[in-house]
Amino acid sequence: FDFASWKISSFFGCSVVRQKERLLVRLDDAAKRNWCGFSLQALEEGGAIGLDGADPAFSCLRFGINGGSTGGQRLQIAVSGEGGGSKTVWIADHLAARKIDGDPESVQTVRIPLRNLFPEKLPKTIGRILIQFIDTPPAEGVEIDSLTLEVQK
């Protein structure tokens, strides 16, 4: 499942532009505040993703991330749906280097198993994804590419 049809909302000086499978996330230095970020939300009741029978150890959120020329952005992600919200996890914890790099030509792969987000029990559906910048120094935004939910049963 991909999130191309979901609504994007941004807040506290963050803006997002969708370009096909890529999200260009930018920060306005004058307007941004700590905890700025954005969410993706299913447009309608039936737009949420069903997780019935999903194996939380093998199902995951997967995407590419590019930190521009500065890198080092501190980002956290949370997911919610029918049946509850997830833990908040650090995106960098799911990168091989444990840090968003500062190479504008690279795209690092992020793979977050659903069991890391929902250690107790998966919700029935996922209807919202929230990504927040924490402790935002003057820094570039990020590019998020091919955000996908892989559901394995």
Side-chain angles (χ1 to χ4, degrees), residues 12 32-36 133-136:
F12 297 151
K32 75 179 180 198
R33 297 196 326 233
N34 199 20
W35 303 95
C36 67
F133 289 80
I134 307 300
D135 300 327
T136 55

Side-chain angles (χ1 to χ4, degrees), residues 2-153:
D2 69 60
F3 300 91
S5 65
W6 284 26
K7 175 185 170 189
I8 299 172
S9 300
S10 55
F11 48 90
F12 297 151
C14 180
S15 64
V16 180
V17 175
R18 188 188 315 252
Q19 289 184 346
K20 296 185 181 180
E21 292 184 358
R22 180 170 286 179
L23 299 175
L24 305 176
V25 184
R26 300 293 175 243
L27 302 177
D28 177 342
D29 275 336
K32 75 179 180 198
R33 297 196 326 233
N34 199 20
W35 303 95
C36 67
F38 69 97
S39 69
L40 295 162
Q41 189 164 356
L43 290 174
E44 55 197 48
E45 190 68 30
I49 305 164
L51 295 178
D52 188 39
D55 183 330
F58 296 105
S59 299
C60 68
L61 276 176
R62 183 182 48 79
F63 55 93
I65 192 163
N66 177 298
S69 62
T70 59
Q73 295 90 339
R74 295 189 48 190
L75 294 169
Q76 62 182 15
I77 187 168
V79 179
S80 61
E82 182 184 348
S86 74
K87 288 179 33 179
T88 300
V89 300
W90 293 102
I91 289 176
D93 287 347
H94 299 278
L95 292 169
R98 295 268 198 227
K99 178 181 178 185
I100 298 173
D101 72 29
D103 179 354
E105 301 301 317
S106 76
V107 176
Q108 296 169 277
T109 300
V110 179
R111 184 181 178 281
I112 304 173
L114 293 185
R115 74 169 174 226
N116 292 23
L117 292 162
F118 300 98
E120 300 296 322
K121 180 182 175 189
L122 289 178
K124 292 180 183 180
T125 64
I126 289 179
R128 185 170 187 244
I129 297 172
L130 175 70
I131 296 178
Q132 291 180 302
F133 289 80
I134 307 300
D135 300 327
T136 55
E140 293 181 64
V142 295
E143 293 182 11
I144 294 178
D145 193 24
S146 302
L147 178 63
T148 305
L149 176 65
E150 297 176 347
V151 176
Q152 302 293 322
K153 297 187 179 200

